[in-house]
Amino acid sequence: MTPETFDAVESAARAVEAALRARPPLGAWFNKEFDRLVEGQERFGPAAAPTYWASYLRSLLVPVMYATDRAAEVSEAGTVTYGSRRGALSYGRATVSVPDERAVGTASKPRWWRLQFRSDPGRDVLLGAIEPSEPVDFTEQVSAQLDEGADREALVFVHGFNVAFADAARQAAQIAYDLNFTGVVLLYSWASKGRLLDYPADGDASRRAVPHFQEFLRTLLTRTGVREVQIVAHSMGNRLLTDALASLDTAGLPEGSGRLGHVVFAAPDVDRDVFAHLLPSVLRQARTCTLYVSDRDRALVAARKLSDYPRAGQSGTSVIVAPGLDTIDVTDLGADLLGHSYVGNHTSVLGDLYGLFRHGHTPAERYGLARTPHPDGDYWSFAPQK
């Protein structure tokens, strides 16, 4: 791609737009045909979207309530963003638009190599307004959203290594949308550098965030009126989650507090032995614990080489099997290039999570899983994709 080709594509797009504007009947016909083509495509369902999710240009605006220990950055225009610098714990709401006709498991954004130069709410998962708030306002907003739902439940997403705040918010909204989750959507974003070569720094940042995450979780469980909190942590975010829950007994919070429901460890980049040691303290607090692992996770293969020990998200001879833990091996699904982001982009894993979150089904009741014997007890594997 060169400036000349960019200009050529831009010129052609403007010519088409001008032609449609100059001939209103043609433009109306084009829009009608486009609507007809997308009719019947994927929509949020089967349960209806929460009433506070607004519709906008063939998309839903998903409010993602967030807590972060990233330092806030204010632009010249006065808008707030969050970068990679560490800061104090802060709260707020980010609005993410998720297209109606987007395929399940995708969170696309404009890519120049696809000749996409402008964001499109009808095609891309986009981060809109970021609105910081004081803790008391945050809890009031979460409480108000819980009041509009039926089950008073929340979903917390904790991102992994090399993830910027904007991408974390987009992931949280996309996963909640694809799971047809109708409770409150929350994100905890720790101060990842968002760069591939900053693996050691991200490891330190995830551990540094532990007391901040504990404060956020304590606030959510005790001050909002939530009944049950589901948690999905990905990759290095599991270091933060396991360390936090190991030293915070959520089951011992005051009477009337919310409780942990389904806790999901997706591709955890955590030392295998450390994870196994901390696991009992998590199992005591949650309704269920699910561990997704793979023997083809190239990101964890690299992490193992850097750390010199197996990671908790790897299967094969190092797979973790324990009483009270549902271990799911996704090796045979044939996921993305790195085999690491399957929790958000593979339809089989999303479908498995849907059965867990929506219906509370055990692995034996969920589709596509086969029991696999192990000396420490059985675990579960997805059948090979055909």
Side-chain angles (χ1 to χ4, degrees):
M1 299 297 293
T2 67
E4 290 75 21
T5 55
F6 276 108
D7 291 342
V9 172
E10 180 73 9
S11 177
R14 290 185 178 278
V16 172
E17 182 181 16
L20 294 176
R21 288 185 180 277
R23 298 168 177 80
L26 179 60
W29 173 85
F30 183 86
N31 286 332
K32 182 179 179 181
E33 284 299 298
F34 184 82
D35 287 339
R36 183 182 64 81
L37 287 172
V38 301
E39 191 65 34
Q41 296 290 316
E42 185 242 335
R43 296 288 192 274
F44 186 84
T51 56
Y52 51 88
W53 291 23
S55 297
Y56 175 72
L57 295 179
R58 300 191 184 91
S59 68
L60 278 175
L61 301 183
V62 182
V64 178
M65 306 301 298
Y66 68 82
T68 182
D69 58 283
R70 297 175 187 262
E73 300 175 357
V74 183
S75 69
E76 293 182 357
T79 58
V80 175
T81 59
Y82 294 95
S84 60
R85 292 186 301 111
R86 299 177 181 183
L89 179 63
S90 58
Y91 297 92
R93 179 177 68 179
T95 301
V96 179
S97 67
V98 182
D100 294 332
E101 56 263 26
R102 173 195 56 89
V104 172
T106 61
S108 62
K109 55 184 178 181
R111 305 287 190 182
W112 65 263
W113 60 84
R114 297 177 185 165
L115 304 184
Q116 299 169 351
F117 310 109
R118 297 175 178 173
S119 59
D120 180 355
R123 178 195 64 210
D124 306 315
V125 178
L126 302 173
L127 173 62
I130 299 174
E131 304 166 273
S133 63
E134 295 298 321
V136 64
D137 297 322
F138 173 84
T139 57
E140 288 177 356
Q141 290 183 63
V142 172
S143 296
Q145 292 181 14
L146 289 168
D147 289 342
E148 295 192 39
D151 298 322
R152 304 194 68 81
E153 63 175 331
L155 171 63
V156 175
F157 176 67
V158 184
H159 64 80
F161 158 66
N162 186 28
V163 177
F165 178 87
D167 290 333
R170 293 169 60 250
Q171 287 177 359
Q174 174 249 313
I175 290 174
Y177 186 108
D178 288 343
L179 292 178
N180 191 217
F181 189 80
T182 57
V184 179
V185 182
L186 298 110
L187 163 70
Y188 188 88
S189 183
W190 49 278
S192 167
K193 292 287 187 182
R195 295 191 298 262
L196 191 60
L197 297 181
D198 285 317
Y199 182 83
D202 270 19
D204 290 341
S206 67
R207 291 288 169 79
R208 181 258 183 188
V210 167
H212 297 305
F213 180 76
Q214 290 176 325
E215 182 179 344
F216 153 70
L217 195 58
R218 191 181 295 110
T219 296
L220 176 62
L221 290 169
T222 62
R223 300 181 187 175
T224 64
V226 69
R227 179 185 62 83
E228 189 168 85
V229 174
Q230 329 298 349
I231 303 179
V232 176
H234 179 239
S235 187
M236 193 179 281
N238 285 279
R239 298 187 190 180
L240 168 57
L241 177 62
T242 51
D243 283 356
L245 292 182
S247 55
L248 172 65
D249 183 11
T250 59
L253 293 174
E255 185 177 352
S257 300
R259 292 292 180 258
L260 296 185
H262 307 296
V263 174
V264 176
F265 309 100
D269 182 5
V270 183
D271 182 288
R272 182 198 182 280
D273 294 339
V274 171
F275 184 89
H277 175 71
L278 298 179
L279 181 62
S281 63
V282 182
L283 291 173
R284 287 194 297 269
Q285 302 179 57
R287 178 150 64 107
T288 71
C289 287
T290 302
L291 169 65
Y292 285 102
V293 299
S294 173
D295 203 30
R296 296 180 182 175
D297 189 325
R298 294 177 178 85
L300 293 187
V301 169
R304 176 174 182 167
K305 291 180 179 178
L306 288 171
S307 306
D308 203 31
Y309 285 97
R311 316 318 287 164
Q314 293 182 290
S315 58
T317 57
S318 62
V319 65
I320 295 176
V321 180
L325 177 69
D326 294 326
T327 300
I328 314 292
D329 189 349
V330 306
T331 298
D332 289 327
L333 287 182
D336 59 272
L337 181 63
L338 288 177
H340 188 59
S341 300
Y342 48 79
V343 70
N345 66 18
H346 203 292
T347 54
S348 293
V349 177
L350 287 166
D352 194 58
L353 285 174
Y354 177 85
L356 174 64
F357 287 169
R358 173 64 62 184
H359 303 295
H361 286 166
T362 66
E365 298 171 307
R366 304 201 296 263
Y367 176 77
L369 297 177
R371 192 183 298 271
T372 305
H374 186 273
D376 297 330
D378 296 342
Y379 66 101
W380 302 86
S381 301
F382 274 101
Q385 297 290 287
K386 297 180 180 179

